[in-house]
Amino acid sequence: MIQYIYSLIPSIFEGLKITIKIFIITVALSIPLGFFVALCRLSTIKIISKVTQFYIWIMRGTPLLLQLVLIFFGLPYVGLVFNRSTAAFIAFILNYGAYFGEIFRSGIQSIDKGQYEAGEVLGLSKTHIFIRIILPQVIKRVIPPVANEVITLIKDTSLVYVVGIGELLRAGKIASNRDASLMPLVLIGIIYLILTAILTRGFNLLEKKYEYYQ
Amino acid sequence: MLKIKELNKKFKGNLVLNNLSFELNKGEILSIIGKSGAGKTTTLRCLNGLEKPDSGTIQLDNLFLCKTEDEKFSYAQKKELRIFRRRMGLVFQSFNLFPHMTVLENIIEAPIKVLNMDKIAATREALETLEIIELEDKKDAYPCELSGGQKQRAAIARALVLQPEYLCFDEPTSALDPELSKGISSIIKNLSSKDMGILIITHDMDLVRNTSDRVLFMDKGKITKESTINEFVV
Ligand SMILES: Nc1ncnc2c1ncn2[C@@H]1O[C@H](COP(=O)(O)OP(=O)(O)O)[C@@H](O)[C@H]1O
Ligand SMILES: [Mg+2]
């Protein structure tokens, strides 16, 4: 039994590496994208705001799985060919960028307009008000919804199997089929649980760090 | 002198300021009283560049925030607005302190950025201001750790540190119990004795009696009556 589990480690480890890679790259790029999306969505220039709204609607209104398939299998028909992992990154970053965008937008909008006005009356510039007064408060408020999204993301990475990328879950499935055993899948489940537990703990610490004010 | 002339402001067809005119001198305390919805807050917001009137003139000595000349209305450019704001301060009814900054940080933010002070000088000024306002012991507290009266004093200190020539208060006693209201009266009187012009909008008669030189009565966006404090007391 123990020996069997040992024998699974190398393939599971390979899968885990890919899962973590997709996770980290998506987080690192979709959060800045989301910030940009939020600013565009809140832009006073109508066309920018409308186009952004449309993008968000598409990304949130269709399954990520479908987006992944269309980007990898569909775009080549219009001459855009990506390799598997590029297609996966594009789909994940665009999709999560939209979700983060909405989180940041509602975070920015939740700040009392009195905060802007207090800054204006003191003679601070709009940019200074946004960076020094609004943004720090937004960050505190968006930590919980961002944490939710990030935890969903770690599980969503399993979707890349549809374009044939061998991540964690796929490694488990292959072993499970080969050995006619559910043990690999149980192991995979435990690994996901550990990953989400680490993330949850990390975000809890981050929340604590911002508890010094209300 | 601060001069407001024939100010008009509509919100969605609803006339909130109706040919409003009044003046305020340096060293003078002027109160405007009136029912809720009379347009008092809107008046202060116009004076502080938070709301654009539709027409009329707001003039600080020979600096114009807006003016109507030959029926043409013009509003200050960015640079003039900035100068105007430097000379005019506002203490909001809800204080609007920055919750993620300590009292001291709240106060030094603008001097550093707007008056280009370095942090040491700004801190020195801030501590002096806090001493006047008797809040030095709370300099490292966050707004959520302050009582209503302390929040208000922090907000006053934040405005004062920029040394405005005129300071507006929106309902300064609305969040305070009667005991604290006396304290705010003496702070306000003390400021005007340093030649600051003070505009208070309120419906607290005691505050008016205890502080003001003149009182204006406002209704439906215009001044309906003016009296000196002596007439008012009778
Ligand atoms: N931003 C706004 N949009 C629409 N109506 C407003 C706005 N601000 C104030 N008003 C209206 O203007 C009137 C005067 O408001 P305000 O100046 O706050 O009165 P006061 O401070 O004397 O109670 C009220 O009827 C209020 O509903
Ligand atoms: Mg009011």
Side-chain angles (χ1 to χ4, degrees):
Chain A
M1 175 75 174
I2 298 285
Q3 210 144 35
Y4 175 58
I5 291 173
Y6 266 131
S7 74
L8 294 173
I9 284 178
S11 62
I12 287 180
F13 187 70
E14 283 309 305
L16 179 63
K17 273 204 312 211
I18 290 176
T19 291
I20 288 177
K21 185 175 156 199
I22 297 168
F23 173 77
I24 288 176
I25 291 178
T26 303
V27 167
L29 294 179
S30 64
I31 286 183
L33 174 64
F35 185 67
F36 180 70
V37 167
L39 293 184
C40 289
R41 176 75 180 76
L42 291 171
S43 168
T44 46
I45 304 166
K46 262 242 162 69
I47 178 81
I48 294 182
S49 159
K50 285 280 173 215
V51 168
T52 312
Q53 213 175 333
F54 181 74
Y55 153 74
I56 292 169
W57 177 59
I58 298 289
M59 288 297 149
R60 299 205 311 170
T62 58
L64 174 55
L65 187 66
L66 180 69
Q67 294 162 16
L68 201 53
V69 169
L70 286 179
I71 288 173
F72 184 62
F73 297 105
L75 288 187
Y77 287 105
V78 294
L80 284 169
V81 185
F82 300 111
N83 67 31
R84 293 168 205 289
S85 40
T86 311
F89 288 136
I90 292 174
F92 272 79
I93 291 164
L94 286 181
N95 181 280
Y96 273 84
Y99 279 95
F100 286 129
E102 280 298 272
I103 290 173
F104 297 154
R105 176 194 60 77
S106 74
I108 292 170
Q109 284 184 323
S110 75
I111 304 296
D112 181 43
K113 80 177 191 341
Q115 292 288 305
Y116 293 90
E117 291 180 347
E120 278 183 49
V121 164
L122 292 172
L124 301 172
S125 70
K126 290 230 155 78
T127 323
H128 186 86
I129 293 170
F130 187 74
I131 292 171
R132 293 273 305 166
I133 294 163
I134 307 302
L135 210 49
Q137 299 183 54
V138 170
I139 290 172
K140 176 182 164 96
R141 288 193 194 180
V142 300
I143 292 171
V146 164
N148 268 332
E149 245 5 91
V150 166
I151 286 166
T152 307
L153 169 63
I154 195 97
K155 293 176 285 178
D156 270 358
T157 53
S158 61
L159 295 175
V160 297
Y161 79 89
V162 289
V163 295
I165 296 176
E167 47 62 68
L168 191 57
L169 185 59
R170 191 168 132 117
K173 261 205 220 110
I174 290 171
S176 172
N177 289 346
R178 183 191 58 213
D179 307 334
S181 159
L182 283 178
M183 184 49 101
L185 293 179
V186 171
L187 267 180
I188 300 298
I190 291 170
I191 293 174
Y192 275 116
L193 282 174
I194 293 170
L195 291 176
T196 51
I198 293 170
L199 288 172
T200 307
R201 178 99 185 102
F203 277 109
N204 283 344
L205 290 175
L206 197 58
E207 251 179 89
K208 277 249 157 58
K209 205 185 134 215
Y210 279 92
E211 257 170 24
Y212 65 90
Y213 75 89
Q214 265 164 19
Chain B
M1 185 166 65
L2 178 66
K3 216 169 168 172
I4 287 90
K5 216 177 116 196
E6 293 170 358
L7 218 53
N8 286 288
K9 172 78 188 167
K10 269 185 188 159
F11 281 120
K12 297 172 202 119
N14 175 21
L15 198 59
V16 174
L17 300 183
N18 182 4
N19 268 328
L20 178 72
S21 304
F22 66 91
E23 289 168 5
L24 171 61
N25 290 303
K26 282 186 123 185
E28 185 187 30
I29 305 182
L30 173 66
S31 284
I32 299 181
I33 57 180
K35 286 194 300 233
S36 180
K40 304 184 298 295
T41 298
T42 307
T43 307
L44 288 199
R45 292 174 60 81
C46 286
L47 289 182
N48 285 276
L50 293 174
E51 214 80 72
K52 245 185 216 177
D54 303 327
S55 70
T57 302
I58 300 174
Q59 177 181 4
L60 215 170
D61 302 327
N62 45 23
L63 178 70
F64 289 88
L65 179 62
C66 60
K67 71 172 142 190
T68 299
E69 226 172 19
D70 304 330
E71 313 220 331
K72 257 195 73 191
F73 177 72
S74 61
Y75 199 80
Q77 300 295 310
K78 244 187 179 164
K79 183 159 167 262
E80 297 161 299
L81 177 61
R82 208 175 314 134
I83 300 169
F84 195 93
R85 278 186 163 146
R86 191 175 296 182
R87 300 174 61 179
M88 172 78 82
L90 170 63
V91 179
F92 291 88
Q93 184 170 11
S94 51
F95 315 134
N96 296 341
L97 293 168
F98 307 133
H100 58 302
M101 295 181 178
T102 64
V103 169
L104 190 61
E105 288 166 343
N106 262 277
I107 299 173
I108 63 175
E109 189 71 18
I112 291 174
K113 194 65 197 168
V114 180
L115 306 181
N116 292 318
M117 280 190 197
D118 62 40
K119 195 170 173 184
I120 297 167
T123 304
R124 190 176 346 104
E125 291 282 322
L127 291 176
E128 262 169 44
T129 312
L130 281 172
E131 202 180 315
I132 297 171
I133 226 104
E134 290 173 28
L135 199 66
E136 315 105 286
D137 54 327
K138 292 288 177 192
K139 68 180 168 60
D140 296 317
Y142 286 92
C144 61
E145 299 162 339
L146 302 179
S147 72
Q150 291 167 336
K151 278 186 192 142
Q152 179 173 54
R153 276 183 284 155
I156 295 173
R158 187 174 67 175
L160 277 186
V161 80
L162 294 169
Q163 305 191 319
E165 295 163 42
Y166 293 88
L167 188 55
C168 306
F169 289 86
D170 191 350
E171 309 262 3
T173 53
S174 65
L176 308 182
D177 50 44
E179 205 44 49
L180 287 169
S181 300
K182 286 199 194 111
I184 189 73
S185 296
S186 68
I187 289 173
I188 289 173
K189 281 190 88 90
N190 185 14
L191 295 178
S192 83
S193 72
K194 290 178 184 155
D195 213 30
M196 194 177 281
I198 309 258
L199 177 58
I200 306 170
I201 62 175
T202 184
H203 38 240
D204 179 344
M205 299 302 174
D206 284 331
L207 178 72
V208 175
R209 262 191 286 271
N210 291 334
T211 58
S212 309
D213 301 310
R214 264 192 312 139
V215 195
L216 303 177
F217 296 79
M218 189 169 179
D219 188 32
K220 299 197 180 84
K222 63 191 322 154
I223 304 299
T224 55
K225 193 175 143 204
E226 166 163 2
S227 71
T228 64
I229 193 64
N230 296 328
E231 294 161 349
F232 178 72
V233 171
V234 176

